[in-house]
Amino acid sequence: MQLIALLIGIIILLVLIIKFKINTFVSLVLTAVITAIILGMPLGKIADSITNGIGSQLGELSMVFGFGAMLGRLVSDSGGAYIIANTLIKRFGKQRLQIAVMIASFILGIALFFEVGMVLLVPIVFAIAVEAGVPILYLGIPMAAALSVTHGFLPPHPAPVAIAQVLGANDGRVLLFGFIIAIIAAYIAGPLFSRVARKFIPDAFKAKGNLSSIGEIKHFSPEESPSFGLSVLTALFPVILLAIATIYTMAINDGVTPKHPSMLDSIVEFIGSPSIAMLISLFFAMWTMGWGRKRSTAQIMESLESAVKSIAMLLLIIGGGGAFKQVLIDGGVGKEVAKIFLGSSISPLILGWLVAVVLRIALGSATVASLTAAGIVAPLMAQSGVDPALMVLAIGAGSLAASHVNDAGFWMFREYFDLTVKQTLETWTVLESVISVIGIILVMILNLLFH
């Protein structure tokens, strides 16, 4: 019953958006209500489930998104994004732009959550694409692929770290094997896949992107722009703060938060929180891209306000996705999926991947899918003899598969690159699935080599 309700819910959502052109946020919330009723949830609890879903999705994310958009707008309005774009184009050349974007996104993605990386990188990708005269999606796909693989495979991201704890895996081995898988998967799902996609869905590559979300890209002379180094430092400041916190925790406290933290531990944990890191970075940007360049406070505030206005609907859409996800979880869809796989005799690595794939498709959240899958396969680990680090990566690969209408990343990609739902399914959903399939293939190869 739960799986039928899920299928009906997804069909309703697609019909509302594609057929009737209903606003995405309204469609998501309406679908969540209808799906909750079909799942048999008590009518009095449906509103609480939807509210909790929106709240949990937008809690810290709203601050991270807001501050990230403001920082990006300041870098853009001051000429910082333009100078970064120009310098990258000159150094890498038009032929190697995709590789340049992928490497930059990969480095950023190691320290940043997927959503934060997207907010910071999209303005730069747009600027580079416009300057180089290439389709925005041509660079957007390598960017998204690089951010996605770091999110799914590499500590210190929440899912790999949490699964490693559940399964008793060594973080160092997860990171080592994860790097091998992530680099190969990012290249195949990024530059290689974008070339195939451009042949089969050329219309998607004609999209100009949702420039309203980051503002108009202006052109600046080198004299009136900040230096390349200062622009990069400002754009990467959140990464630097988060990286400091991560390296400190792993080096000083073996990656574990101490029960009795010292003052230094507390300070590092404070600046390592994504929302605080973004707040500190925003004030740094207000100086380097604002007051330090003789811009008035009024001009700086104008940039901040326009940035917030541009992401309002995007935030609502992500919240709506959270509502739909919460209804599916509260309605018992996750438990129903778990029952299907219990007692199966297939390889634990394939089983972990499959469970994560089904949960990802059903629930949308990669983190929820991976943690639930880890709980299901954990009892099999002792008797199977499988390296726990490879199981972490198998589940991580499965949790990235087939991102669709119940995943916030799907709507972010659609909004930023101004695609139709169909085009997003053909690009973003396929991209994520390619990463997932390449991931499990490489996990099985590593299992043969190191078993």
Side-chain angles (χ1 to χ4, degrees):
M1 178 61 195
Q2 280 89 345
L3 298 181
I4 293 170
L6 168 66
L7 184 62
I8 293 170
I10 291 171
I11 291 170
I12 290 170
L13 182 60
L14 291 172
V15 169
L16 286 173
I17 295 170
I18 298 170
K19 174 72 174 171
F20 296 107
K21 304 289 192 291
I22 304 294
N23 174 274
T24 305
F25 171 66
V26 175
S27 298
L28 281 163
V29 175
L30 181 58
T31 302
V33 172
I34 295 169
T35 306
I37 293 170
I38 298 171
L39 285 166
M41 289 176 63
L43 295 178
K45 301 290 183 184
I46 292 174
D48 288 342
S49 184
I50 288 172
T51 304
N52 291 338
I54 294 174
S56 63
Q57 189 81 60
L58 290 181
E60 185 174 52
L61 201 59
S62 58
M63 286 196 290
V64 171
F65 253 60
F67 295 149
M70 291 175 189
L71 188 151
R73 182 62 65 87
L74 283 171
V75 173
S76 178
D77 286 354
S78 67
Y82 176 76
I83 211 74
I84 289 171
N86 253 349
T87 308
L88 280 173
I89 290 165
K90 286 174 184 172
R91 290 185 184 174
F92 282 91
K94 192 171 178 180
Q95 297 302 315
R96 295 190 298 275
L97 268 184
Q98 283 189 312
I99 301 297
V101 168
M102 190 191 83
I103 292 170
S105 303
F106 190 90
I107 294 166
L108 278 166
I110 291 169
L112 289 177
F113 290 125
F114 178 85
E115 292 86 355
V116 187
M118 195 82 124
V119 168
L120 283 177
L121 280 166
V122 161
I124 296 172
V125 164
F126 276 29
I128 295 170
V130 169
E131 187 68 22
V134 297
I136 289 167
L137 204 57
Y138 177 78
L139 299 181
I141 286 175
M143 175 200 76
L147 288 176
S148 193
V149 295
T150 57
H151 176 73
F153 298 126
L154 301 180
H157 280 271
V161 170
I163 310 168
Q165 287 178 347
V166 172
L167 300 179
N170 178 278
D171 280 332
R173 286 178 72 83
V174 173
L175 198 58
L176 176 63
F177 291 148
F179 260 112
I180 297 168
I181 294 170
I183 290 167
I184 297 170
Y187 181 72
I188 293 171
L192 290 186
F193 168 66
S194 68
R195 289 168 205 166
V196 177
R198 198 172 182 181
K199 290 178 182 176
F200 286 96
I201 37 172
D203 286 349
F205 285 79
K206 294 174 184 173
K208 300 297 182 186
N210 185 8
L211 296 179
S212 65
S213 64
I214 57 165
E216 181 188 352
I217 296 173
K218 302 169 188 174
H219 290 264
F220 300 84
S221 66
E223 295 75 29
E224 62 181 349
S225 303
S227 69
F228 174 75
L230 187 61
S231 301
V232 170
L233 176 64
T234 304
L236 297 187
F237 208 72
V239 181
I240 295 166
L241 292 180
L242 291 170
I244 289 169
T246 301
I247 293 166
Y248 176 87
T249 304
M250 296 187 87
I252 306 299
N253 297 318
D254 296 323
V256 180
T257 303
K259 290 181 180 178
H260 304 289
S262 65
M263 177 61 76
L264 184 58
D265 290 336
S266 299
I267 291 170
V268 171
E269 185 181 3
F270 177 71
I271 66 166
S273 163
S275 53
I276 299 299
M278 292 303 297
L279 177 62
I280 295 169
S281 302
L282 175 61
F283 273 94
F284 181 72
M286 287 166 69
W287 174 257
T288 59
M289 302 289 124
W291 294 310
R293 302 197 56 74
K294 304 291 187 284
R295 292 184 72 196
S296 68
T297 302
Q299 288 174 315
I300 295 169
M301 291 308 113
E302 187 180 340
S303 290
L304 302 194
E305 285 169 22
S306 61
V308 172
K309 288 175 187 173
S310 68
I311 63 162
M313 184 51 68
L314 183 58
L315 280 172
L316 283 177
I317 289 168
I318 291 166
F324 189 29
K325 176 195 74 180
Q326 195 64 42
V327 160
L328 296 177
I329 293 170
D330 293 347
V333 174
K335 291 177 183 175
E336 193 65 27
V337 171
K339 286 179 189 175
I340 296 172
F341 289 100
L342 285 175
S344 175
S345 59
I346 60 174
S347 159
L349 289 171
I350 298 290
L351 178 63
W353 180 78
L354 272 176
V355 174
V357 167
V358 176
L359 286 165
R360 162 70 154 178
I361 293 169
L363 303 176
S365 168
T367 305
V368 172
S370 54
L371 285 172
T372 308
I376 293 169
V377 300
L380 303 172
M381 290 296 298
Q383 60 204 38
S384 67
V386 171
D387 186 334
L390 290 177
M391 180 60 85
V392 170
L393 296 168
I395 291 171
S399 74
L400 295 176
S403 165
H404 61 101
V405 295
N406 62 353
D407 177 32
F410 178 93
W411 298 109
M412 284 181 68
F413 194 84
R414 175 185 178 270
E415 291 293 316
Y416 276 137
F417 293 97
D418 200 22
L419 304 172
T420 65
V421 170
K422 182 173 181 287
Q423 288 170 339
T424 314
L425 288 167
E426 291 170 334
T427 52
W428 167 256
T429 303
V430 175
L431 176 158
E432 288 282 89
S433 301
V434 168
I435 292 172
S436 180
V437 172
I438 295 298
I440 188 60
I441 290 171
L442 292 172
V443 164
M444 298 308 290
I445 292 171
L446 288 170
N447 186 50
L448 288 173
L449 293 174
F450 294 96
H451 191 61

